[in-house]
Amino acid sequence: MPNKRKNSPKSIRWKWGFRLTLAFSLVILLLSSVLLAGFRNRLYEEERREAQSFLEQITNTFEQVDTRLTRSNVESLIEKISVSTTTRGVVKVGTVPYLEDMTKKGIVLRVFNGDGELLYQSRQNNTPFTRNSGYYFNETKFNNREGFVGGDTIVSPSTSVLRGYVQVFFRLYTFHDVMASVNKRVFFSILVGLVVSLILGYGFAQLFFRPIKQMADTMNEITEDNLSETRLNVNTTRKEDELTDLSIQINTVLDKMAKYVTQQKQFVEDVSHELRTPTAIVEGHLKLLNRWGKDDPQVLDESLAASLNEITRMKTLVQEMLDLSRAEQVQDHYQYETTEIRAVVTQIFHNFQILYPDFHFFFDDDLTEERTVRIYRNHLEQILVILLDNAVKYSTERKEIHLSISETLMKIQIAIQDFGEGMSVEDQQKVFNRFYRVDKARSREKGGHGLGLSIAKELLEGYKGDISVESALGHGTVFRIQLPFIEEEEVKKIKSQIDI
């Protein structure tokens, strides 16, 4: 199915190939039409000028005669006509060549006397003659083809007496022959151009979309097994290229996907491991009860206590997993929640002072005024409880915990410092991973499943905040969280949206 879709005429490469071909074809047709029209108009105007020149020279020749026009003197005058520039060179000096060329080029010359009697015509023409009062030159049609008809009066130059009329028909044989030849060549050129357009259109489409095709092929080849190794080839020679940026972004997404897949696998393995132990313990105690516990009160009490303890651990694990899942959806369900941060931090601080009287808690409040952050109050309390609880758990002989709150660059920063076991650099890089515990050997006596810091991180990222850790092995740890605070005007706007 993917291959069929890849070669489908509906694919974007074929669509753009068709569009480019159509664009090139339209350009060729438009250019050909403009050039052909320009050539035709120029040739037509040249024919017009030369036809008018020919008519004027014919009239001037006959006006040189100061006697009455007759058939004989008209023919003798025609033999003397010498025109150097006429319709496409049709007129030549001499009788026979002149008459032959005039006939071949579709020129018909007619001469009439003053009474309108036909004295001479170079070719049979049945067009009725109408006496005209002077010079005229008009466009006309001969068998639906363009041509000219013109005429003039023949007047004696000395006496101004009307001697006769001259009439010329120009059928423009040469013009139409040339245009027919040009049309054939242009038509052939257009056919060749269309073929070239087809080749160029689909060629450019294939060239332009080759990187996209390579991306699609690479994405089709990606499976769960090769996700961590398969990446798009990034052309580093093309700087500031959109396709290069897209390739880099896709590779970034693939890196995240590979990371998520790895984490998911690790998550499933860790959950299975975490649930396998308490399940096996409960199963063992139930088997023990089935064998000897029915008649032995001591075995019964011990097995029930141990089973209840493991069930409690499983309930805690399930609740933490639900918290982690909900933490990834805070933007969908709590986007309009706001909290006054000083009041919450102060309350949690006093709660831990009461819970752990053998610890020394110190609170540094550097806020000049109460600040509001965009976070659900219960989530902020949960984050602080997770961090302070870890600080208590991993403290050693020096039972001292520092809590501070400050403001910097439109953000609220909360720091929680203990002076306990600390962490190595490797542990600091993994401490926010799900089910990761620094002290695996003592994890059961300390409690927890390694999900607390993952929940805190997911919650903070959901609210556009972040969390970081600094630690020295054997000297303690500092966790810092940051959340952007919002101004009073924005708080009012958010509240109005909630009311709506």
Side-chain angles (χ1 to χ4, degrees):
M1 183 64 69
N3 291 333
K4 290 182 179 179
R5 190 171 185 178
K6 192 185 299 182
N7 298 322
S8 171
K10 295 182 180 180
S11 70
I12 189 170
R13 287 181 294 134
W14 288 100
K15 288 179 181 178
W16 275 101
F18 173 75
R19 291 170 184 171
L20 289 173
T21 299
L22 184 61
F24 289 145
S25 300
L26 290 176
V27 170
I28 290 174
L29 290 174
L30 181 61
L31 186 60
S32 300
S33 300
V34 171
L35 292 177
L36 184 61
F39 176 78
R40 185 187 184 284
N41 292 337
R42 181 176 178 181
L43 184 61
Y44 189 76
E45 290 302 319
E46 185 178 346
E47 294 284 354
R48 178 196 292 273
R49 289 194 301 270
E50 292 180 351
Q52 290 174 332
S53 175
F54 175 66
L55 177 59
E56 291 173 3
Q57 294 191 46
I58 289 290
T59 303
N60 292 336
T61 299
F62 281 102
E63 285 181 347
Q64 295 176 6
V65 180
D66 204 16
T67 59
R68 184 172 177 272
L69 293 177
T70 63
R71 294 179 185 275
S72 58
N73 61 12
V74 167
E75 292 180 359
S76 63
L77 286 172
I78 290 175
E79 292 177 0
K80 294 179 181 179
I81 291 175
S82 175
V83 182
S84 59
T85 305
T86 58
T87 308
R88 306 300 296 172
V90 300
V91 178
K92 298 180 181 179
V93 178
T95 56
V96 178
Y98 164 71
L99 293 175
E100 287 181 356
D101 282 349
M102 198 164 59
T103 302
K104 289 179 181 178
K105 304 306 179 184
I107 299 175
V108 178
L109 173 62
R110 296 202 299 180
V111 182
F112 302 85
N113 61 18
D115 298 327
E117 180 184 355
L118 180 63
L119 301 178
Y120 174 85
Q121 62 178 356
S122 60
R123 184 179 176 182
Q124 183 65 33
N125 191 303
N126 298 323
T127 304
F129 172 70
T130 302
R131 296 183 184 183
N132 54 291
S133 59
Y135 174 84
Y136 69 93
F137 188 87
N138 301 320
E139 295 181 356
T140 187
K141 294 281 188 178
F142 300 104
N143 298 326
N144 293 323
R145 301 176 72 180
E146 295 93 336
F148 305 121
V149 60
D152 202 355
T153 55
I154 302 173
V155 180
S156 174
S158 60
T159 60
S160 300
V161 176
L162 178 64
R163 299 294 185 185
Y165 304 91
V166 61
Q167 187 180 46
V168 185
F169 299 92
F170 301 91
R171 291 181 178 269
L172 305 182
Y173 286 169
T174 302
F175 169 77
H176 293 299
D177 290 343
V178 171
M179 288 307 303
S181 176
V182 171
N183 286 336
K184 290 180 181 178
R185 295 181 180 180
V186 170
F187 179 75
F188 178 76
S189 300
I190 289 176
L191 289 180
V192 174
L194 293 178
V195 174
V196 173
S197 298
L198 181 65
I199 296 173
L200 290 178
Y202 283 94
F204 279 128
Q206 297 292 328
L207 180 63
F208 292 156
F209 289 97
R210 182 184 298 170
I212 297 179
K213 182 178 181 298
Q214 292 174 348
M215 293 180 191
D217 292 342
T218 302
M219 298 300 288
N220 287 331
E221 294 172 359
I222 292 177
T223 62
E224 185 176 348
D225 295 331
N226 63 12
L227 178 61
S228 59
E229 296 87 13
T230 305
R231 294 294 180 271
L232 300 178
N233 293 326
V234 178
N235 190 347
T236 56
T237 59
R238 294 188 308 219
K239 296 181 179 179
E240 299 182 0
D241 184 277
E242 289 81 358
L243 291 176
T244 301
D245 293 340
L246 179 60
S247 298
I248 294 173
Q249 292 174 6
I250 291 176
N251 284 340
T252 302
V253 172
L254 291 175
D255 291 339
K256 292 181 180 179
M257 289 175 59
K259 179 181 177 182
Y260 293 152
V261 168
T262 303
Q263 290 179 347
Q264 183 185 33
K265 290 180 179 179
Q266 186 66 38
F267 181 80
V268 173
E269 292 175 0
D270 291 339
V271 169
S272 300
H273 179 269
E274 292 292 333
L275 291 176
R276 188 183 302 117
T277 301
T279 303
I281 293 174
V282 172
E283 182 183 13
H285 282 287
L286 289 176
K287 289 180 179 179
L288 182 64
L289 288 174
N290 189 43
R291 291 180 182 178
W292 300 291
K294 298 175 183 178
D295 302 322
D296 190 337
Q298 183 177 357
V299 173
L300 179 62
D301 291 341
E302 290 178 356
S303 296
L304 287 176
S307 298
L308 288 173
N309 183 55
E310 294 303 322
I311 289 174
T312 302
R313 289 186 66 244
M314 284 192 288
K315 285 175 61 179
T316 304
L317 174 61
V318 171
Q319 184 59 50
E320 288 181 344
M321 290 170 61
L322 289 174
D323 290 342
L324 186 60
S325 175
R326 291 168 183 164
E328 298 171 349
Q329 305 171 10
V330 293
Q331 279 298 313
D332 298 329
H333 304 289
Y334 303 97
Q335 56 179 327
Y336 298 120
E337 296 290 343
T338 60
T339 300
E340 293 181 347
I341 196 164
R342 173 188 277 164
V344 175
V345 174
T346 304
Q347 175 189 331
I348 297 299
F349 171 75
H350 290 311
N351 289 345
F352 268 78
Q353 280 184 317
I354 295 172
L355 285 173
Y356 300 98
D358 54 333
F359 274 78
H360 298 285
F361 290 91
F362 299 91
F363 181 34
D364 296 326
D365 183 1
D366 293 333
L367 293 183
T368 56
E369 59 179 311
E370 179 65 279
R371 290 295 186 183
T372 302
V373 292
R374 185 176 288 184
I375 187 172
Y376 183 43
R377 181 186 179 98
N378 289 357
H379 288 162
L380 179 59
E381 291 177 353
Q382 185 178 7
I383 293 168
L384 294 173
V385 168
I386 289 171
L387 296 178
L388 285 169
D389 190 52
N390 277 352
V392 171
K393 285 180 183 179
Y394 291 96
S395 292
T396 52
E397 296 178 359
R398 184 178 175 180
K399 296 184 177 182
E400 181 179 327
I401 295 174
H402 289 256
L403 174 64
S404 65
I405 181 172
S406 59
E407 173 186 331
T408 174
L409 298 175
M410 295 298 293
K411 288 186 178 182
I412 298 296
Q413 185 179 90
I414 301 174
I416 297 173
Q417 181 180 11
D418 66 68
F419 301 89
E421 299 176 3
M423 289 181 284
S424 65
V425 175
E426 181 183 359
D427 287 332
Q428 292 177 50
Q429 295 173 348
K430 299 179 181 179
V431 72
F432 296 107
N433 294 347
R434 299 174 181 182
F435 294 108
Y436 185 81
R437 282 168 294 194
V438 175
D439 190 356
K440 295 181 176 59
R442 299 173 58 193
S443 60
R444 291 186 67 83
E445 68 177 77
K446 289 181 181 293
H449 302 89
L451 287 175
L453 290 177
S454 298
I455 294 172
K457 186 174 188 297
E458 289 288 346
L459 286 172
L460 286 167
E461 290 181 350
Y463 290 109
K464 310 301 181 186
D466 61 77
I467 183 171
S468 61
V469 60
E470 297 176 12
S471 184
L473 198 59
H475 296 280
T477 302
V478 180
F479 282 96
R480 287 188 175 85
I481 62 176
Q482 288 191 123
L483 279 168
F485 65 83
I486 51 180
E487 300 293 347
E488 187 64 29
E489 294 78 9
E490 191 173 354
V491 174
K492 293 179 181 178
K493 186 186 297 184
I494 293 173
K495 289 182 178 180
S496 64
Q497 289 175 338
I498 295 175
D499 295 336
I500 293 173

